[in-house]
């Protein structure tokens, strides 16, 4: 069975977006680091928990200077249509549902591109176009809550403190004091 006869997901996993097996456009690896303020973090957390994702917009511009672009629009060239010279806006849904799992800080997605504007309706796009998105958060939105491990002191029962028995001398002194009080009270009665 030919790879073209298989469904889209099977075709993707078989080719792994191999640039020699499927048509693709590769850009230089670029990383965008964006720190969010307090309001930005709150809105991002709401987007993760409630909405579940965001639209990512991709705009394709013609790769020619403005002067040549005007000349190309006036001239009729073979293989180039007016649509090739106009900017093309596409959008894709980037899902944040992976970030709902506690401790998840990275997601890799292959998102389907679709036309974003009604003015682009006459354009014909390839059957399926994708954009690969990798998002990394530091720290994760839902942090992994580790239960604290109990210490040895918490596991072992605390020894019960027994009352200290008084020494013999203390007992004798206390008994003498009570005898003196008893004798004084008796002497007061009989005198």
């Amino acid at each position: 069975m030919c790879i073209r006869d298989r469904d889209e997901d099977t075709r993707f996993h078989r080719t792994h977006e191999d640039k020699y097996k499927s048509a693709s456009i590769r850009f230089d690896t670029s990383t965008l680091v964006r720190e969010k303020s307090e309001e930005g973090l709150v809105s991002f957390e709401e987007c993760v928990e409630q909405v579940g994702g965001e639209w990512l917009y991709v705009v394709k511009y013609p790769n020619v200077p403005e002067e040549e672009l005007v000349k190309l629009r006036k001239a009729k060239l073979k293989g180039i249509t007016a649509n090739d010279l106009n900017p093309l806006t596409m959008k894709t849904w980037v899902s944040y549902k992976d970030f709902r799992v506690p401790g998840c800080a990275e997601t890799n997605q292959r998102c389907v591109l679709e036309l974003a504007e009604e003015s682009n309706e006459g354009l014909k796009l390839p059957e399926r176009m994708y954009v690969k998105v990798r998002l990394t958060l530091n720290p994760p939105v839902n942090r992994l809550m580790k239960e604290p491990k109990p210490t040895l002191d918490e596991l072992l029962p605390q020894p019960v403190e027994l009352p200290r028995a008084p020494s013999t001398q203390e007992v004798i002194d206390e008994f003498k004091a009570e005898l003196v009080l008893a004798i004084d009270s008796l002497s007061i009665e009989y005198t």
Side-chain angles (χ1 to χ4, degrees):
M1 183 181 248
C2 182
I3 193 95
R4 291 186 190 126
D5 299 333
R6 303 202 181 261
D7 67 326
E8 182 61 31
D9 289 332
T10 307
R11 200 174 350 174
F12 167 68
H13 291 294
R14 289 270 176 102
T15 60
H16 287 63
E17 293 195 35
D18 185 358
K19 63 182 178 181
Y20 299 110
K21 291 185 180 177
S22 63
S24 63
I25 299 172
R26 303 233 179 227
F27 296 97
D28 293 333
T29 304
S30 62
T31 304
L32 175 66
V33 177
R34 182 173 294 161
E35 290 192 25
K36 296 212 174 250
S37 64
E38 293 173 5
E39 298 87 21
L41 285 174
V42 170
S43 66
F44 182 75
E45 287 175 2
E46 287 175 358
C47 197
V48 169
E49 295 298 328
Q50 296 170 3
V51 180
E54 273 187 293
W55 286 104
L56 176 70
Y57 288 88
V58 178
V59 180
K60 179 197 93 75
Y61 291 103
N63 194 14
V64 292
E66 269 307 311
E67 301 86 32
E68 289 184 34
L69 190 61
V70 172
K71 291 177 187 176
L72 287 174
R73 283 190 179 143
K74 291 178 183 176
K76 292 186 178 183
L77 300 173
K78 288 184 179 180
I80 296 178
T81 63
N83 293 332
D84 293 335
L85 302 175
N86 294 332
L88 177 65
T89 305
M90 296 171 280
K91 67 180 179 179
T92 186
W93 180 257
V94 179
S95 175
Y96 292 155
K97 291 184 180 181
D98 293 344
F99 295 129
R100 291 181 183 171
V101 177
C104 181
E106 184 171 336
T107 182
N108 287 310
Q109 295 179 24
R110 181 174 174 250
C111 307
V112 179
L113 284 169
E114 57 189 54
L115 289 174
E117 298 175 358
E118 290 77 23
S119 62
N120 294 333
E121 281 184 18
L123 296 176
K124 253 193 140 181
L125 292 177
E127 190 176 314
R128 287 206 179 252
M129 289 194 333
Y130 297 93
V131 64
K132 184 178 177 186
V133 178
R134 186 177 97 188
L135 297 172
T136 306
L137 303 178
N138 186 16
V141 173
N142 291 324
R143 295 185 183 178
L144 186 60
M145 300 302 283
K146 294 182 181 178
E147 293 184 19
K149 293 182 180 178
T151 61
L152 189 60
D153 294 335
E154 293 172 352
L155 292 175
L156 295 176
Q158 296 295 327
V160 179
E161 289 192 26
L162 298 173
R164 185 176 71 79
S167 66
T168 310
Q169 187 62 38
E170 289 176 3
V171 172
I172 292 171
D173 291 341
E174 188 178 333
F175 184 63
K176 278 183 186 179
E178 288 179 10
L179 280 177
V180 168
L181 282 174
I183 291 172
D184 287 343
S185 63
L186 281 175
S187 66
I188 292 174
E189 278 186 35
Y190 291 108
T191 51

